[in-house]
Amino acid sequence: MKTKPSFTVNKLSLAIASLISVASVFPALPVYSQDAVKIEHSEINAQSTETAQSTQSTESSPSAQGESFPIEPIEVISVVGRLRTSASAATEERREQVNVTDIMGAEQIARTGDGDAAAALRRVTGLTLKDGKFIYVRGLGERYSSTSLNGATVPSPDPTRNVVPLDMFPASIIESLSVQKSASANAPAAFGGGHVDIRTKSIPADFFFKASVGGRYNTNDTDDALGYSLDNSGLGKDDGKRAMPDAIANTTNQYGGISPIDIVTGSQGGINYPAAQQLNRELALGMHRDMTVQAQDSSPGFKGDIAIGDRWDLSDEMILGVISAFSYKKQQDNYRKKELELDGDASNINIENQKDIMGTDSIVQVSGMVNLGLEIGYNHKIETFTTYLHDTSDDVSMGIEETIDTLGEPNALQIFGIGYEERSLISNQIKGHHFIEYLNDAEFNWKFSDARSERYAPNEMSYTYNVILDDANKVLSRNLNTQDAPKYVYSRLEDDSQNYGWDVSYPINFDGALVKITTGYEYFERSRESYATRLGFDVDLSPSDVNGGILSQDFNQIFSNANISSDVLGLELKDASTDTEDYIAAEMNDAAFISLDIDFEDVWRVYAGVRYEDFRRVTLPIDPEGKISDEGGRYQLDDYAIAEDAWFPSISVTWKQTDTTQWRLGASKTLVRPDLREVSPVRFQDPVTGFDFFGNPELKSSDIYNLDLRWEYYSDSGNNLSVGAFYKDVDAPIEPIQRISEAGRQLKFYNAESGYIYGIETEFLQQLGFLGDEGSLWEDFFIAGNLTLGDSAIDIASNGEIDPTHHSRVMTGHSKWVANMQLSYDSSDDYHSATLVYNIFGERIAYGGRGGLDDVFEQPFNSLDFTYSFFPTDSISIKLKAKNMLDETTEYKQQGQLVYAKEPGTEYSLQFSYEY
C-alpha cells in the first residue's frame, strides 16, 4: 500500500523531465498556432418583426474569417422561446465557417429542456450519448472526440475516460455549443469524429437578472431509496469521515506495511507479534465501519439557477461587462439493473454469473462562473472566464448474485456496494481579440488558461453475504462471506493543465479576392497523479464456530468496536492493493500552424493550412514501494515515454452556388492519441459495466485521413436543409478487447491493424405554415430533424492475450444509423411553447466477443421527451418536462441474450423562472 511515491516531488519532476528530454528526438520548433477566438456579428433578418432580446457574442465569426475591418455588434432580434430565430442565428454562424460545423444556441437548448451539455448535444446531427456523459460523433467512440471550454483545452476529472464528462456542464451557464466535424489547421490535430467547444455565457447587452427553481419526480421513486449512515451533504462535500485514517499511511511509512508481519519486520523486532496484531486491529478501529446499507424514503429532487449581469460605459471608448451564474441540483436516482456473464461458444452457451441489482445514486451538482469583459473602442476586447464545477455521486446498491454453481439453487450471494466520488473542475481563462488599424486591420488574438480537475473517491467499499433464498427470492438466512473479504478502496486523481497561445491574421485585398494569412503558436501541458489504496477486512471466523452467529448480523454490528477490540473475529486489516494501482504522468505539446483563406468575390472560398505538433508524454506506473514499476521486467523505462512529431495538412473549398445554397469539400489528416490511463499498465474499473480494464504501454497513435462533402440550403425565412457525406481511414485504431483470463471479464487496449468509417448525414428545419392559409394555426408549428447513416470496419489479429471471435467487425461504439426528430409549437400570442423530441441510435458494439462468443451489442434506445413552457408575463415562465416517456431500458445483448439492462425510469420536472 502507498499514498505517495517514496521519492520527493523534486526528484519526480526531474525524472519526468529527463525522460521527456530523452524521448524528444525531434525538438520543438518556434511555431505559432491559432485559437478560434472570434466575435460573431449576427444580422437582423429583414423579414423578422420580433422584439430585441440580447447582444449575441460567440467564439467564431464571419468577420474573423473573411472581413478585414471591425464591425460594431448588432443586437439580435428574437422572441422569448422562439427556437426558429435562435436556430437561424446558429445556422448563420455555421454557414460562415470554413469547415463542417454544427452550432447549438442557448435558446435551442432551453427549447428541448435538456439540463446539461451532454443531453443537449445528442440533438446534433450524427451525435449520440453514452452513459449520459460522453458524446459519440458520427458513431465514433468518445476517444475520437475532444472538448474545450471557451476555446481552451481542459483536463478530465474522470480517470476512466479520455474526455471531460459533459454532464458536468449545466445548461444554465452555456451560451452555445459548437461541434466541428472537419479539421482545420487552427484546431488540435488530435481530432477524429469531432471537437466540441463549450462556450459559457457572454457579456450582456444590458442589466439582467434571472432565477429559476424546480423539482422532479421519477417513476422509480416509488421504490425505497438505499442509503447508509453517512448522508451526502448539501454541497456534495465529504466531511472527512470517509477518508482513510492518517494512522494507516503513517504505519506504512514507518514499518513498510500494515500487516502484523510487516510491523514486526519493520520494527526490527522492537514490536512482538501479539503487539503487532493489536496495532493492526487499532488501525481497523480508525476506519469508518457504520456502512450498513438500509432502505430509506426517496427524497424529491431540487434544482435552482441564478444569473445576473450588467455592463457599464466607463468612457466613450470603454465598456466593462460582468456576468455571474450559479447552479445547484440535488436528487436521488433509483435504478434496477441486471448483469450476466456468458461463457462457452456460439454452440454451447453457459451463464457463468448473474446479478440482479437495485440501487440509488444520490447526486449533488454545484457550478458557478464569473466572466468579465472589457471593450476598448471597436478594436480591442479582453475577456476573463472563471468556471467551477463540482459533481458528487453517492451510489449505494444491493443485489443477488448467482454463479454457475448456484443457479437454480437456493444458495446465492447478497452483494452490497457503496461508491462515493467527487469530481471537480476549476478553470481560469483570459483572452484578447484585437484589430490593428495601421496594419490594414490585421487581427491579433491571444489566450491563457489554467485548469485543475480532480476525482476524489475516499470510500468505495463492498461486502457480501452467503444467503439462502425461498421460492420468492426472499432471504431466509445469511452469513458474512469471509472468503471474499469486505473491501475499502481509497483513490484520488489530480490533473493540472496549462494552455496558452496566440495568432496573427493579415488581410490582403486583391481585385476580385480577399486573402487572409494566419499563423500562430499554441502550447499545452498536463500533469497527472493517480493513487489508489485497497484494504480488506480478513476475518478468521466461520458460522459453525462458537461465536459464528455474529456473522449473520448487519455490517456495522459485525465490525463493532467491541468485536474488533476483543479479537472475537480474528480480524486482520490487509493491504489488498495490486502491484500497480498508481501512476504519474506528464505530457507537453508544442503546436504551430499557418493557413491561407481566400474569398473569391463571395462565390468561391478556399482554405488551406498545415499544422505541426511536437508531442511528448511520460506515464510511469508506481509499485507498492513507491518506485517506478517495470511490470516484472516486461517494460524498460523508455517504454513509458512517447515522442512524436508530424505535419497535419487540411484544405477546404466552399462554393456559394446561389444566395441560398452552397457546397463544401474538405480533406485533412489528423490523429488520435491514446489517453494517459490507456498507456499505463494499471487496473481500473469501468463505473458503468464494472469490468476491469488494463492499460497498454505498447499502444501507438492512430493516424486518420478525413474526407467531407456537404451541400447546404438556407432560405430567407429560416428554413434550411443540408446533405453531407464523410469518409475516414484509420490506421491502427485503438480498441478495448476482452483478453484471455481466468479472473473474470477483463479488457485491455490494443491497436487493431486498420479501420475505416463512412456515411451520409442530413439535417433540416422547416416551418409548417405552408400547410395552411395565411394566419392559420400551422404557422405556429415547425419541425427539425437529422439522420446519419454509415458503416465501419476494423481488422484485429489474435495474439497471446486476445482471441477475438471476429477478426473483422464494426468499430466499438459505432451505430450504423442515428436519428433525431423535433416537432415544435410557438403560439402566435407568445404565451405557449411546446416541443416533442425523439432520438434513437442503431445497435453498437459495447465490447468485442472472444473464444467463439459473439460481440456484445448495446441495443437501440427510443428516447421520447416533451417540454411545455408557459409565459404568463414577460418576466415569468413555467416549464414542464417529461423525459423517457416510453419508459425505455438500456440493454446490452450477446448471442441474442440480455447480458446487461438498466431501467432509468420516466422523469417529470417542473421549473419556475423569473427574469428581469
Side-chain angles (χ1 to χ4, degrees), residues 767-792:
Q767 301 180 38
L768 299 183
F770 69 93
L771 296 177
D773 298 330
E774 183 176 353
S776 69
L777 184 64
W778 286 110
E779 291 187 350
D780 297 338
F781 285 90
F782 62 95
I783 59 173
N786 55 69
L787 173 67
T788 300
L789 304 174
D791 201 358
S792 67

Side-chain angles (χ1 to χ4, degrees), residues 139-153:
L140 292 167
E142 80 266 7
R143 77 167 59 257
Y144 294 94
S145 65
S146 56
T147 304
S148 61
L149 178 63
N150 297 312
T153 303

Side-chain angles (χ1 to χ4, degrees), residues 19 185 244 332 447 575 676 735 882 891:
L19 274 173
M244 186 177 73
Q332 287 184 323
K447 67 176 181 180
D575 182 0
L676 293 175
E735 290 276 310
E891 297 181 346

Side-chain angles (χ1 to χ4, degrees), residues 59 61 150 244 258 348 450 530 555 641 647 652 872 900 909:
E59 303 293 339
S61 80
N150 297 312
M244 186 177 73
I258 60 172
N348 183 25
D450 183 271
S530 179
F555 183 87
W647 297 88
S652 65
Y900 178 85
S909 60

Side-chain angles (χ1 to χ4, degrees), residues 614-634:
D614 182 17
F615 178 80
R616 292 90 71 201
R617 170 191 287 163
V618 175
T619 308
L620 304 176
I622 306 299
D623 66 16
E625 284 73 40
K627 300 177 181 179
I628 299 174
S629 171
D630 62 1
E631 295 299 290
R634 182 173 182 178

Side-chain angles (χ1 to χ4, degrees), residues 255 257-267 271 273 276-277 280 572:
Y255 301 111
I258 60 172
S259 71
I261 293 178
D262 289 333
I263 295 172
V264 171
T265 303
S267 68
I271 300 178
Y273 193 77
Q277 288 181 303
N280 177 270
E572 180 179 331

Side-chain angles (χ1 to χ4, degrees), residues 633-659:
R634 182 173 182 178
Y635 301 110
Q636 300 295 320
L637 196 60
D638 57 0
D639 291 331
Y640 299 134
I642 297 174
E644 57 186 21
D645 69 337
W647 297 88
F648 302 94
S650 59
I651 185 170
S652 65
V653 179
T654 303
W655 174 39
K656 295 184 179 180
Q657 185 179 16
T658 68
D659 289 340

